Amino acid sequence: MSDIEIPESHPRYQSLLTRHRIEEGVEKGITSRQGLIAQGRGEAFDYLLGERTIPSADEAARAAAAHLLLADRPVISVNGNVAALCPGEIVDLAAAVDADIEVNLFNRTDERMRAIADHLRDHGADEVKGLTADGRIPGIDHERAKVDADGIGSADVVVVPLEDGDRAEALGAMDKVEIVVDLNPMSRSARVATVPIVDNIMRAVPNIAAHARDLRDAGATREELEAIVAEFDAAEALEAAERAIRSGSDE
Ligand code: ATP
Ligand code: MG
């Protein structure tokens, strides 16, 4: 048994655990009610993918790890769904690649910003950015544009799991390397990403961290990391994911 009263052998265990965490996130004021809808949409795609990391998503996670290791100022953006689903895994990824964590909400309220920052600290984060909000993403309306100037504002690589399409587009226009985790390969967020990872964040975040540690332990040089980055083809990864969803096979 884990944090819910369902045996791990239950065929829907992962999915039920995920729902439970999102529900709890809403109760704690971390996740918005809109987040429940986003979760439902994600689940449908995950079901069609077979609730597994497809090979192209694993390659994308490795390319993401290489980008993060090469970065000068990597930042991981966290919203209410991400905080509810995998707070400890986010803190671990930040440690693995020496990245900052920034709370970044579509429906921003001070209360929810603080609840998420506290929740991340409870899971081991030392510093959580996003509350200063002294920077702006150009091209989107005021409330949704708020970021920390020394966080996402000046980051060279950003990880944005489940980002809204508009903001993903605006961040991309700021010349940042954008790593998007999104189960829908047709979502605008996935389409504008430098590296789209079509996978559940509960699998993708620990997978990026594992790749980063493997690359570092293997002593990968800058040149080797740059080669991994250069070899990755975002359009091909999206096509492979769409094929897997439509046909149920990786071929
Ligand atoms: P678009 O990107 O086309 O503008 P949208 O961003 O408005 O669409 P939403 O439903 O608001 O669409 O966004 C939620 C996105 O997050 C969906 O694409 C959904 O597949 C994805 N998603 C939800 N839960 C998860 C999860 N646990 N892991 C990965 N992706 C998820
Ligand atoms: Mg989207």
Side-chain angles (χ1 to χ4, degrees):
M1 302 277 179
S2 173
D3 50 350
I4 42 171
E5 295 296 310
I6 298 161
E8 285 185 38
S9 59
H10 189 291
R12 310 289 323 140
Y13 176 77
Q14 275 303 328
S15 159
L16 293 169
L17 174 67
T18 304
R19 286 188 186 179
H20 176 76
R21 288 201 182 155
I22 288 282
E23 214 184 328
E24 212 174 45
V26 174
E27 275 160 19
K28 284 187 187 159
I30 289 169
T31 309
S32 71
R33 280 179 298 169
Q34 288 279 325
L36 294 166
I37 299 167
Q39 171 61 29
R41 204 200 278 213
E43 265 186 33
F45 285 103
D46 207 11
Y47 204 108
L48 293 170
L49 280 168
E51 295 171 338
R52 73 203 160 106
T53 300
I54 58 172
S56 58
D58 185 55
E59 265 170 52
R62 186 159 176 267
H67 270 295
L68 286 164
L69 292 173
L70 286 166
D72 291 322
R73 301 179 68 100
V75 177
I76 305 169
S77 168
V78 174
N79 66 19
N81 283 53
V82 178
L85 290 177
C86 53
E89 290 83 353
I90 289 285
V91 172
D92 181 63
L93 173 61
V97 300
D98 198 15
D100 281 337
I101 297 175
E102 178 162 338
V103 184
N104 182 22
L105 301 182
F106 189 76
N107 300 306
R108 187 187 172 102
T109 66
D110 273 350
E111 215 180 341
R112 217 148 68 74
M113 292 293 292
R114 268 196 299 271
I116 293 174
D118 288 345
H119 184 66
L120 289 166
R121 282 192 208 97
D122 287 346
H123 284 84
D126 326 311
E127 205 203 336
V128 179
K129 295 197 156 136
L131 294 146
T132 317
D134 52 350
R136 295 289 176 270
I137 308 169
I140 38 181
D141 69 81
H142 187 74
E143 268 313 294
R144 288 178 185 159
K146 285 182 176 172
V147 289
D148 277 16
D150 69 347
I152 291 174
S154 52
D156 54 350
V157 177
V158 280
V159 182
V160 280
L162 323 192
E163 181 56 284
D164 151 75
D166 258 10
R167 289 205 306 182
E169 217 154 21
L171 279 171
M174 283 175 88
D175 248 3
K176 296 182 192 301
V177 169
E178 202 174 2
I179 297 163
V180 166
V181 181
D182 195 317
L183 278 159
N184 176 6
M186 283 155 279
S187 130
R188 283 183 302 144
S189 326
R191 301 214 157 259
V192 298
T194 321
V195 179
I197 305 175
V198 182
D199 201 1
N200 196 315
I201 41 163
M202 296 191 37
R203 297 188 299 265
V205 171
N207 197 26
I208 304 169
H211 276 298
R213 291 198 168 102
D214 283 351
L215 288 167
R216 220 188 13 224
D217 293 348
T221 61
R222 266 200 99 75
E223 288 68 33
E224 284 164 341
L225 294 173
E226 278 161 3
I228 293 170
V229 160
E231 271 160 31
F232 178 76
D233 184 332
E236 211 174 86
L238 291 174
E239 272 168 38
E242 194 173 329
R243 261 198 318 274
I245 287 170
R246 289 187 191 277
S247 73
S249 117
D250 298 329
E251 302 314 316

